Coordinates of all heavy atoms in Angstrom, one line a residue:
M30 N 0.8 -1.2 0.0 CA 0.0 0.0 0.0 C 0.9 1.2 0.0 O 1.8 1.3 0.7 CB -0.9 0.0 1.3 CG -1.8 1.1 1.4 SD -2.8 1.1 2.9 CE -3.2 -0.6 3.2
S31 N 0.6 2.2 -0.9 CA 1.4 3.4 -0.9 C 0.6 4.6 -0.6 O -0.6 4.6 -0.8 CB 2.1 3.5 -2.3 OG 1.1 3.7 -3.2
V32 N 1.3 5.6 -0.2 CA 0.7 6.9 0.2 C 1.4 8.0 -0.5 O 2.6 8.0 -0.7 CB 0.8 7.2 1.7 CG1 0.1 8.5 2.1 CG2 0.1 6.0 2.5
S33 N 0.7 8.9 -1.1 CA 1.3 9.9 -1.9 C 2.0 11.1 -1.1 O 2.5 12.0 -1.7 CB 0.3 10.5 -2.9 OG -0.7 11.2 -2.2
T34 N 2.0 11.0 0.2 CA 2.6 12.0 1.0 C 4.0 11.6 1.3 O 4.4 10.5 1.0 CB 1.9 12.3 2.3 OG1 1.9 11.1 3.1 CG2 0.4 12.7 2.1
S35 N 4.8 12.5 1.9 CA 6.2 12.1 2.2 C 6.3 11.3 3.4 O 7.4 10.8 3.8 CB 7.1 13.4 2.3 OG 6.5 14.2 3.4
C36 N 5.2 11.1 4.2 CA 5.3 10.3 5.4 C 4.7 8.9 5.2 O 4.0 8.6 4.2 CB 4.3 11.0 6.4 SG 4.8 12.6 6.9
T37 N 5.2 8.0 6.0 CA 4.6 6.6 6.0 C 3.2 6.7 6.4 O 2.7 7.7 7.0 CB 5.3 5.7 6.9 OG1 5.2 6.1 8.2 CG2 6.9 5.6 6.5
L38 N 2.4 5.6 6.1 CA 1.0 5.6 6.5 C 0.8 5.8 8.0 O -0.1 6.6 8.4 CB 0.4 4.3 6.0 CG -1.1 4.2 6.4 CD1 -1.9 5.3 5.8 CD2 -1.6 2.8 5.9
Q39 N 1.6 5.2 8.8 CA 1.5 5.3 10.2 C 1.7 6.8 10.6 O 0.9 7.3 11.4 CB 2.6 4.4 10.9 CG 2.3 3.0 10.9 CD 3.3 2.1 11.5 OE1 4.4 2.7 11.8 NE2 3.0 0.9 11.9
R40 N 2.7 7.4 10.1 CA 3.0 8.8 10.4 C 1.9 9.7 9.9 O 1.6 10.7 10.5 CB 4.3 9.2 10.0 CG 5.5 8.5 10.7 CD 5.5 9.0 12.1 NE 6.6 8.5 12.8 CZ 6.8 8.5 14.0 NH1 5.8 9.0 14.8 NH2 7.8 8.0 14.6
A41 N 1.4 9.4 8.7 CA 0.3 10.2 8.1 C -0.9 10.3 9.1 O -1.6 11.3 9.1 CB -0.1 9.7 6.8
C42 N -1.1 9.2 9.8 CA -2.2 9.2 10.7 C -1.9 9.9 12.1 O -2.8 10.1 12.8 CB -2.7 7.7 11.0 SG -3.3 7.0 9.5
Q43 N -0.7 10.2 12.3 CA -0.3 10.9 13.5 C -0.1 12.4 13.2 O 0.9 12.9 13.6 CB 0.9 10.2 14.1 CG 0.7 8.9 14.6 CD 2.0 8.3 15.1 OE1 3.1 8.5 14.6 NE2 1.9 7.5 16.1
L44 N -1.1 13.0 12.6 CA -1.0 14.4 12.2 C -0.5 15.3 13.4 O 0.3 16.2 13.2 CB -2.3 14.9 11.6 CG -2.7 14.2 10.4 CD1 -4.0 14.7 9.9 CD2 -1.7 14.4 9.3
S45 N -1.0 15.0 14.6 CA -0.7 15.9 15.7 C 0.7 15.6 16.3 O 1.2 16.4 17.1 CB -1.7 15.7 16.8 OG -1.7 14.3 17.2
S46 N 1.4 14.6 15.9 CA 2.7 14.3 16.4 C 3.8 15.0 15.8 O 5.0 15.0 16.2 CB 3.0 12.8 16.4 OG 3.2 12.4 15.1
G47 N 3.5 15.7 14.7 CA 4.6 16.6 14.1 C 5.2 16.0 12.8 O 5.9 16.7 12.1
C48 N 4.9 14.8 12.4 CA 5.4 14.3 11.1 C 4.8 15.0 9.9 O 5.5 15.5 9.1 CB 5.1 12.8 11.0 SG 5.6 12.1 9.4
C49 N 3.5 15.1 9.9 CA 2.8 15.9 8.8 C 2.0 16.9 9.5 O 1.3 16.6 10.5 CB 2.0 15.0 8.0 SG 2.9 13.7 7.1
S50 N 1.8 18.0 8.9 CA 1.0 19.0 9.4 C -0.4 18.8 8.8 O -0.6 18.1 7.8 CB 1.4 20.4 9.1 OG 1.3 20.7 7.8
R51 N -1.4 19.3 9.4 CA -2.8 19.2 8.9 C -2.9 19.8 7.5 O -3.6 19.4 6.6 CB -3.8 19.8 9.8 CG -4.0 18.9 11.1 CD -5.0 19.5 12.0 NE -5.3 18.6 13.1 CZ -4.6 18.5 14.1 NH1 -3.4 19.2 14.3 NH2 -4.9 17.7 15.1
E52 N -2.0 20.8 7.2 CA -2.0 21.5 5.9 C -1.5 20.5 4.8 O -1.8 20.7 3.7 CB -1.2 22.8 6.0 CG -1.9 23.9 6.8 CD -1.6 23.7 8.3 OE1 -0.6 23.1 8.7 OE2 -2.5 24.1 9.1
D53 N -0.6 19.6 5.2 CA 0.0 18.7 4.3 C -0.9 17.6 3.9 O -0.7 16.9 2.8 CB 1.3 18.1 4.8 CG 2.4 19.1 5.0 OD1 2.3 20.1 4.3 OD2 3.3 18.8 5.8
W54 N -1.9 17.3 4.7 CA -2.8 16.2 4.4 C -3.6 16.4 3.1 O -4.1 17.5 2.8 CB -3.8 15.9 5.5 CG -4.6 14.8 5.3 CD1 -4.3 13.5 5.6 CD2 -6.0 14.7 4.8 NE1 -5.4 12.7 5.2 CE2 -6.3 13.4 4.7 CE3 -6.8 15.7 4.3 CZ2 -7.6 13.0 4.3 CZ3 -8.1 15.3 3.9 CH2 -8.5 14.0 3.8
K55 N -3.7 15.4 2.3 CA -4.5 15.5 1.1 C -5.5 14.3 1.0 O -5.1 13.2 1.4 CB -3.5 15.4 -0.1 CG -2.5 16.5 -0.1 CD -2.0 16.9 -1.5 CE -1.0 17.9 -1.5 NZ -0.7 18.7 -0.4
P56 N -6.7 14.5 0.5 CA -7.7 13.5 0.5 C -7.5 12.4 -0.6 O -8.3 12.1 -1.4 CB -9.0 14.2 0.3 CG -8.6 15.4 -0.5 CD -7.2 15.8 0.0
V57 N -6.3 11.8 -0.6 CA -6.0 10.8 -1.7 C -5.8 9.4 -1.0 O -5.5 8.5 -1.7 CB -4.7 11.2 -2.5 CG1 -4.9 12.4 -3.2 CG2 -3.5 11.3 -1.5
L58 N -6.0 9.3 0.3 CA -5.9 8.0 0.9 C -7.1 7.2 0.6 O -8.2 7.7 0.5 CB -5.7 8.2 2.4 CG -4.5 9.0 2.9 CD1 -4.6 9.1 4.4 CD2 -3.3 8.3 2.5
S59 N -6.9 5.9 0.4 CA -8.0 5.0 0.2 C -8.7 4.7 1.5 O -8.2 5.0 2.6 CB -7.4 3.7 -0.4 OG -6.7 3.0 0.6
I60 N -9.9 4.2 1.4 CA -10.7 3.8 2.6 C -9.9 2.9 3.5 O -9.8 3.0 4.7 CB -12.0 3.2 2.2 CG1 -12.9 4.3 1.5 CG2 -12.7 2.7 3.4 CD1 -13.3 5.5 2.4
S61 N -9.2 1.9 2.8 CA -8.5 0.9 3.6 C -7.3 1.6 4.3 O -7.0 1.3 5.5 CB -7.9 -0.2 2.7 OG -7.0 0.3 1.7
A62 N -6.7 2.6 3.7 CA -5.6 3.3 4.4 C -6.1 4.1 5.6 O -5.5 4.2 6.6 CB -4.9 4.3 3.4
V63 N -7.3 4.7 5.5 CA -7.9 5.5 6.6 C -8.3 4.5 7.7 O -8.0 4.8 8.9 CB -9.1 6.3 6.1 CG1 -9.9 6.9 7.2 CG2 -8.7 7.4 5.1
V64 N -8.9 3.4 7.3 CA -9.2 2.4 8.4 C -8.0 1.9 9.1 O -8.0 1.8 10.3 CB -10.1 1.3 7.8 CG1 -10.3 0.1 8.8 CG2 -11.4 1.8 7.3
Y65 N -7.0 1.6 8.4 CA -5.7 1.1 8.9 C -5.2 2.2 9.9 O -4.7 1.9 11.0 CB -4.6 0.8 7.8 CG -3.3 0.5 8.4 CD1 -3.0 -0.8 8.9 CD2 -2.3 1.4 8.5 CE1 -1.8 -1.2 9.4 CE2 -1.1 1.0 9.0 CZ -0.8 -0.2 9.4 OH 0.4 -0.5 10.0
G66 N -5.2 3.4 9.5 CA -4.7 4.5 10.3 C -5.5 4.7 11.6 O -4.9 4.9 12.7
L67 N -6.8 4.5 11.5 CA -7.7 4.5 12.8 C -7.3 3.4 13.7 O -7.3 3.6 14.9 CB -9.1 4.5 12.3 CG -9.7 5.8 11.7 CD1 -11.1 5.6 11.2 CD2 -9.6 7.0 12.6
V68 N -7.2 2.2 13.1 CA -6.8 1.0 13.9 C -5.5 1.3 14.6 O -5.4 1.1 15.8 CB -6.8 -0.3 13.1 CG1 -6.1 -1.4 13.8 CG2 -8.1 -0.7 12.6
Y69 N -4.5 1.8 13.9 CA -3.2 2.2 14.5 C -3.4 3.2 15.7 O -2.8 3.0 16.7 CB -2.3 2.7 13.4 CG -0.9 3.1 14.0 CD1 0.0 2.1 14.3 CD2 -0.6 4.4 14.3 CE1 1.2 2.4 14.8 CE2 0.6 4.7 14.8 CZ 1.5 3.7 15.0 OH 2.7 4.0 15.6
L70 N -4.2 4.2 15.4 CA -4.4 5.2 16.5 C -5.1 4.6 17.8 O -4.8 4.9 18.9 CB -5.3 6.3 16.0 CG -4.6 7.3 15.0 CD1 -5.6 8.3 14.5 CD2 -3.4 8.0 15.7
F71 N -6.0 3.6 17.5 CA -6.6 2.9 18.7 C -5.6 2.0 19.4 O -5.6 1.9 20.6 CB -7.8 2.1 18.3 CG -9.0 2.9 17.9 CD1 -9.6 2.9 16.7 CD2 -9.5 3.9 18.9 CE1 -10.7 3.6 16.4 CE2 -10.7 4.6 18.6 CZ -11.2 4.5 17.3
L72 N -4.7 1.4 18.7 CA -3.7 0.5 19.3 C -2.6 1.3 19.9 O -2.0 0.8 20.9 CB -3.2 -0.5 18.2 CG -4.2 -1.5 17.7 CD1 -3.6 -2.3 16.6 CD2 -4.7 -2.4 18.8
E73 N -2.2 2.4 19.4 CA -1.1 3.2 19.9 C -1.5 4.6 20.1 O -1.1 5.5 19.4 CB 0.1 3.1 18.9 CG 0.7 1.7 18.7 CD 1.4 1.2 20.0 OE1 1.9 2.1 20.8 OE2 1.3 0.0 20.2
P74 N -2.4 4.9 21.1 CA -2.8 6.3 21.3 C -1.6 7.1 21.7 O -0.6 6.6 22.3 CB -3.8 6.2 22.5 CG -3.5 4.8 23.1 CD -2.9 4.0 22.1
N75 N -1.7 8.4 21.4 CA -0.7 9.4 21.7 C -1.1 10.3 22.9 O -1.7 11.3 22.6 CB -0.3 10.2 20.5 CG 0.8 11.2 20.8 OD1 1.4 11.2 21.8 ND2 1.1 12.0 19.8
P76 N -0.8 9.9 24.1 CA -1.3 10.8 25.2 C -0.6 12.1 25.4 O -1.0 12.9 26.2 CB -1.0 9.9 26.4 CG 0.1 9.0 26.1 CD -0.1 8.8 24.6
S77 N 0.5 12.3 24.6 CA 1.2 13.6 24.6 C 0.5 14.7 23.9 O 0.8 15.9 24.1 CB 2.6 13.4 24.0 OG 3.3 12.4 24.7
D78 N -0.4 14.4 23.0 CA -1.2 15.4 22.3 C -2.6 15.0 22.2 O -3.2 14.7 21.1 CB -0.6 15.6 20.9 CG -1.2 16.7 20.1 OD1 -1.7 17.6 20.8 OD2 -1.0 16.7 18.9
P79 N -3.3 15.0 23.3 CA -4.7 14.4 23.4 C -5.8 15.4 23.0 O -5.6 16.7 23.2 CB -4.8 14.1 24.8 CG -4.1 15.2 25.6 CD -2.8 15.4 24.7
L80 N -6.9 14.9 22.5 CA -8.1 15.7 22.4 C -8.8 15.6 23.7 O -9.6 16.6 24.0 CB -9.0 15.1 21.2 CG -8.4 15.3 19.9 CD1 -9.3 14.6 18.9 CD2 -8.3 16.8 19.5
N81 N -8.7 14.5 24.4 CA -9.4 14.3 25.7 C -8.3 14.3 26.8 O -7.7 13.2 27.0 CB -10.2 13.1 25.6 CG -10.9 12.8 26.9 OD1 -10.5 13.2 28.0 ND2 -12.1 12.1 26.8
R82 N -8.0 15.3 27.4 CA -6.9 15.4 28.4 C -7.1 14.4 29.6 O -6.2 13.8 30.0 CB -6.7 16.8 28.9 CG -5.5 16.9 29.8 CD -4.6 18.1 29.7 NE -4.5 18.8 28.4 CZ -3.5 18.6 27.6 NH1 -2.6 17.7 27.8 NH2 -3.5 19.3 26.5
E83 N -8.3 14.3 30.1 CA -8.6 13.4 31.1 C -8.3 12.0 30.8 O -7.7 11.2 31.6 CB -10.1 13.5 31.5 CG -10.5 12.7 32.7 CD -11.9 13.0 33.1 OE1 -12.5 14.1 32.9 OE2 -12.6 12.0 33.6
A84 N -8.7 11.5 29.6 CA -8.4 10.2 29.1 C -6.9 10.0 29.0 O -6.3 8.9 29.4 CB -9.1 9.9 27.8
A85 N -6.2 11.0 28.5 CA -4.7 10.9 28.3 C -4.0 10.8 29.7 O -3.1 10.0 29.8 CB -4.2 12.1 27.6
D86 N -4.5 11.5 30.7 CA -4.0 11.5 32.0 C -4.2 10.0 32.6 O -3.2 9.5 33.2 CB -4.6 12.5 32.9 CG -4.2 13.9 32.6 OD1 -3.2 14.1 31.8 OD2 -4.9 14.8 33.0
A87 N -5.4 9.5 32.4 CA -5.6 8.1 32.9 C -4.8 7.1 32.2 O -4.2 6.2 32.8 CB -7.1 7.8 32.7
L88 N -4.5 7.3 30.9 CA -3.7 6.3 30.1 C -2.2 6.4 30.6 O -1.6 5.4 30.8 CB -3.7 6.7 28.6 CG -2.8 5.9 27.7 CD1 -3.1 4.4 27.8 CD2 -2.8 6.4 26.3
R89 N -1.7 7.6 30.9 CA -0.3 7.8 31.3 C -0.2 7.2 32.8 O 0.8 6.6 33.1 CB 0.1 9.2 31.3 CG 0.5 9.7 29.9 CD 1.2 11.0 30.0 NE 0.4 12.1 30.5 CZ -0.4 12.9 29.8 NH1 -0.4 12.8 28.4 NH2 -1.2 13.8 30.3
A90 N -1.2 7.4 33.6 CA -1.1 7.0 35.0 C -1.1 5.5 35.2 O -0.4 4.9 36.0 CB -2.2 7.6 35.8
N91 N -2.0 4.8 34.4 CA -2.2 3.4 34.6 C -2.9 2.7 33.4 O -4.0 2.8 33.2 CB -3.1 3.1 35.8 CG -3.1 1.7 36.2 OD1 -3.0 0.8 35.3 ND2 -3.4 1.4 37.5
R92 N -2.0 2.2 32.5 CA -2.5 1.6 31.2 C -3.6 0.5 31.5 O -4.6 0.4 30.7 CB -1.4 1.0 30.4 CG -0.8 2.0 29.4 CD 0.0 1.2 28.4 NE 0.6 1.9 27.4 CZ 0.1 2.4 26.3 NH1 -1.2 2.4 26.1 NH2 0.8 3.1 25.4
E93 N -3.4 -0.3 32.5 CA -4.3 -1.4 32.7 C -5.7 -0.9 33.2 O -6.7 -1.3 32.7 CB -3.8 -2.4 33.8 CG -2.6 -3.2 33.3 CD -1.3 -2.4 33.3 OE1 -1.2 -1.4 34.1 OE2 -0.4 -2.8 32.5
E94 N -5.7 0.1 34.0 CA -6.9 0.7 34.5 C -7.6 1.4 33.3 O -8.8 1.4 33.2 CB -6.7 1.7 35.6 CG -7.9 2.5 36.1 CD -8.9 1.6 36.8 OE1 -8.6 0.4 37.0 OE2 -10.0 2.1 37.0
F95 N -6.8 2.1 32.5 CA -7.4 2.8 31.3 C -8.1 1.7 30.4 O -9.2 1.9 30.0 CB -6.3 3.5 30.6 CG -6.8 4.2 29.3 CD1 -7.4 5.4 29.4 CD2 -6.6 3.6 28.1 CE1 -7.9 6.0 28.2 CE2 -7.0 4.2 26.9 CZ -7.7 5.4 27.0
A96 N -7.4 0.6 30.2 CA -8.0 -0.5 29.3 C -9.3 -1.0 29.9 O -10.3 -1.2 29.2 CB -7.0 -1.6 29.1
R97 N -9.3 -1.1 31.2 CA -10.5 -1.6 31.9 C -11.7 -0.6 31.8 O -12.8 -1.0 31.5 CB -10.3 -1.8 33.5 CG -11.4 -2.5 34.2 CD -11.0 -2.6 35.7 NE -11.0 -1.4 36.4 CZ -12.1 -0.7 36.7 NH1 -13.3 -1.1 36.4 NH2 -12.0 0.5 37.3
L98 N -11.4 0.7 31.9 CA -12.4 1.7 31.7 C -12.9 1.8 30.3 O -14.1 2.0 30.0 CB -11.9 3.1 32.1 CG -11.5 3.3 33.6 CD1 -10.9 4.6 33.8 CD2 -12.8 3.1 34.4
V99 N -12.1 1.6 29.3 CA -12.5 1.5 27.9 C -13.4 0.4 27.7 O -14.5 0.5 27.0 CB -11.3 1.5 27.0 CG1 -11.7 1.1 25.5 CG2 -10.5 2.7 27.0
Q100 N -13.1 -0.8 28.3 CA -13.9 -2.0 28.1 C -15.3 -1.7 28.7 O -16.3 -2.1 28.2 CB -13.3 -3.2 28.8 CG -12.1 -3.8 28.0 CD -12.6 -4.3 26.6 OE1 -13.7 -4.9 26.5 NE2 -11.9 -4.0 25.6
R101 N -15.3 -1.1 29.9 CA -16.6 -0.8 30.5 C -17.4 0.2 29.7 O -18.6 -0.1 29.5 CB -16.3 -0.1 31.9 CG -15.9 -1.0 33.0 CD -15.8 -0.2 34.3 NE -17.1 0.4 34.5 CZ -17.6 0.6 35.7 NH1 -16.9 0.5 36.8 NH2 -18.8 1.2 35.9
S102 N -16.8 1.2 29.1 CA -17.5 2.1 28.2 C -18.1 1.4 27.0 O -19.2 1.6 26.6 CB -16.7 3.3 27.8 OG -15.7 2.9 27.0
L103 N -17.3 0.5 26.4 CA -17.7 -0.2 25.2 C -18.9 -1.2 25.5 O -19.7 -1.5 24.7 CB -16.6 -1.0 24.6 CG -15.5 -0.1 23.9 CD1 -14.3 -1.0 23.5 CD2 -16.1 0.7 22.8
R104 N -19.0 -1.7 26.7 CA -20.0 -2.6 27.2 C -21.3 -1.9 27.6 O -22.2 -2.5 28.1 CB -19.5 -3.5 28.3 CG -18.5 -4.5 27.8 CD -18.1 -5.5 28.8 NE -17.2 -6.5 28.3 CZ -15.9 -6.6 28.7 NH1 -15.5 -6.0 29.7 NH2 -15.2 -7.5 28.2
G105 N -21.3 -0.5 27.5 CA -22.4 0.2 27.9 C -22.6 0.6 29.3 O -23.7 0.9 29.8
Q106 N -21.5 0.5 30.1 CA -21.5 0.8 31.5 C -21.2 2.2 31.7 O -20.9 3.0 30.8 CB -20.6 -0.2 32.2 CG -21.0 -1.6 32.1 CD -19.9 -2.5 32.7 OE1 -18.9 -2.1 33.2 NE2 -20.2 -3.8 32.7
S107 N -21.2 2.6 32.9 CA -20.9 4.0 33.3 C -19.4 4.2 33.7 O -18.9 3.3 34.4 CB -21.8 4.4 34.5 OG -21.5 5.7 34.9
V108 N -18.8 5.3 33.2 CA -17.5 5.6 33.6 C -17.5 7.1 34.0 O -17.9 7.9 33.2 CB -16.5 5.4 32.4 CG1 -15.1 5.8 32.7 CG2 -16.5 3.9 32.0
A109 N -17.0 7.4 35.2 CA -16.9 8.7 35.7 C -18.2 9.4 35.6 O -18.3 10.6 35.2 CB -15.8 9.5 34.9
G110 N -19.3 8.7 35.9 CA -20.6 9.3 35.9 C -21.3 9.5 34.6 O -22.4 9.9 34.5
Q111 N -20.7 9.0 33.5 CA -21.3 9.1 32.2 C -21.6 7.7 31.6 O -20.7 6.8 31.7 CB -20.3 9.8 31.2 CG -20.9 9.9 29.8 CD -20.0 10.7 28.9 OE1 -19.0 11.3 29.3 NE2 -20.4 10.8 27.6
T112 N -22.8 7.4 31.2 CA -23.2 6.1 30.7 C -23.0 6.1 29.2 O -23.4 7.1 28.5 CB -24.6 5.8 31.1 OG1 -24.7 5.8 32.5 CG2 -25.0 4.4 30.6
F113 N -22.5 5.1 28.6 CA -22.2 5.0 27.2 C -23.1 4.0 26.6 O -23.5 3.0 27.3 CB -20.7 4.5 27.0 CG -19.7 5.6 27.5 CD1 -19.3 5.6 28.8 CD2 -19.3 6.6 26.6 CE1 -18.4 6.6 29.2 CE2 -18.4 7.5 27.0 CZ -18.0 7.6 28.3
P114 N -23.4 4.1 25.3 CA -24.2 3.1 24.6 C -23.4 1.8 24.4 O -22.1 1.8 24.3 CB -24.4 3.7 23.2 CG -23.4 4.7 23.0 CD -23.0 5.2 24.4
R115 N -24.0 0.7 24.5 CA -23.4 -0.6 24.4 C -22.9 -0.8 22.9 O -23.7 -0.8 22.0 CB -24.3 -1.8 24.8 CG -23.7 -3.1 24.7 CD -24.6 -4.2 25.2 NE -24.0 -5.5 25.1 CZ -23.3 -6.1 26.1 NH1 -23.2 -5.5 27.2 NH2 -22.8 -7.3 25.9
L116 N -21.6 -1.1 22.7 CA -21.1 -1.3 21.4 C -20.5 -2.7 21.1 O -20.3 -3.1 20.0 CB -20.0 -0.2 21.1 CG -20.4 1.2 21.2 CD1 -19.2 2.2 21.0 CD2 -21.4 1.5 20.1
V117 N -20.3 -3.4 22.2 CA -19.8 -4.8 22.1 C -20.6 -5.7 23.0 O -21.2 -5.3 23.9 CB -18.3 -5.0 22.4 CG1 -17.5 -4.2 21.4 CG2 -18.0 -4.6 23.8

């Protein structure tokens, strides 16, 4: 699979990490490349540049507890007083 940017696919999906700027992104990625990038972001989250600072703090503090909270949220349980829809 190739990408027409100067970054590898993994790095292209890490726009906030500094490899590529948002201005460099071009909508030429295939659906499979975008899905691969999303899977990579879920498997290797970047707590150094979070959209959700509270989640990033929890991830940095205790990865196992963070994983447990994610599982609870995906099962439709409550986390920090917020109830999530059941997804698994």
Side-chain angles (χ1 to χ4, degrees):
M30 181 183 320
S31 64
V32 178
S33 65
T34 64
S35 62
C36 298
T37 65
L38 180 57
Q39 289 178 341
R40 291 294 188 193
C42 293
Q43 293 178 322
L44 296 176
S45 63
S46 70
C48 174
C49 297
S50 68
R51 285 178 175 83
E52 293 79 30
D53 291 338
W54 183 82
K55 301 208 180 351
V57 296
L58 297 176
S59 67
I60 293 298
S61 62
V63 171
V64 170
Y65 176 80
L67 289 172
V68 168
Y69 180 77
L70 288 174
F71 285 124
L72 293 175
E73 295 295 329
N75 180 4
S77 299
D78 188 19
L80 291 175
N81 182 332
R82 183 137 337 260
E83 184 177 326
D86 291 343
L88 175 62
R89 279 192 298 268
N91 186 335
R92 264 196 184 286
E93 291 79 22
E94 176 67 9
F95 178 78
R97 189 182 69 75
L98 293 174
V99 169
Q100 286 297 318
R101 284 185 58 155
S102 69
L103 292 174
R104 290 186 177 118
Q106 298 174 356
S107 179
V108 175
Q111 182 176 353
T112 302
F113 295 87
R115 184 178 176 91
L116 300 175
V117 294

